[in-house]
């Protein structure tokens, strides 16, 4: 038998303390949930702000591709 198993270290709920992964349980789980909500809120706001610039850049690249003479390569070398 490996060392430590004779004293109850190997049992799942053998001691007074419960270690393990308990998602969103207790105070620290609530803090984790608030952090996750804050991160998602920040990412959504960032996407809303950056989306018009990204769309405008794509439109300008498409117009540039149509106005340049030569073969029609969409995303070739700039």
């Amino acid at each position: 038998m490996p060392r430590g198993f004779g004293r109850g270290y190997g049992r799942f709920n053998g001691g007074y303390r419960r270690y393990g992964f308990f998602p969103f349980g207790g105070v620290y789980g609530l803090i984790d949930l608030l952090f996750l909500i804050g991160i998602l809120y920040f990412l959504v706001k960032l996407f809303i702000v950056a989306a018009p610039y990204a769309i405008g850049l794509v439109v300008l690249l498409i117009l540039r591709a149509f106005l340049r003479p030569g073969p029609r390569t969409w995303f070739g070398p700039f």
Side-chain angles (χ1 to χ4, degrees):
M1 181 180 290
R3 291 179 68 165
F5 277 88
R7 298 188 196 102
Y9 294 135
R11 286 182 281 198
F12 181 68
N13 285 329
Y16 292 103
R17 298 180 185 194
R18 287 177 46 189
Y19 296 109
F21 179 68
F22 301 105
F24 310 124
V27 176
Y28 291 112
L30 184 63
I31 292 171
D32 286 342
L33 184 64
L34 289 175
F35 271 121
L36 286 175
I37 290 172
I39 290 169
L40 289 175
Y41 175 75
F42 178 75
L43 288 176
V44 167
K45 293 291 276 188
L46 188 67
F47 174 75
I48 289 171
V49 169
Y53 294 105
I55 292 170
L57 181 63
V58 168
V59 168
L60 287 176
L61 286 173
I62 290 173
L63 285 174
R64 179 177 173 260
F66 275 124
L67 293 176
R68 291 183 75 185
R72 300 279 184 234
T73 58
W74 279 97
F75 296 104
F78 297 105

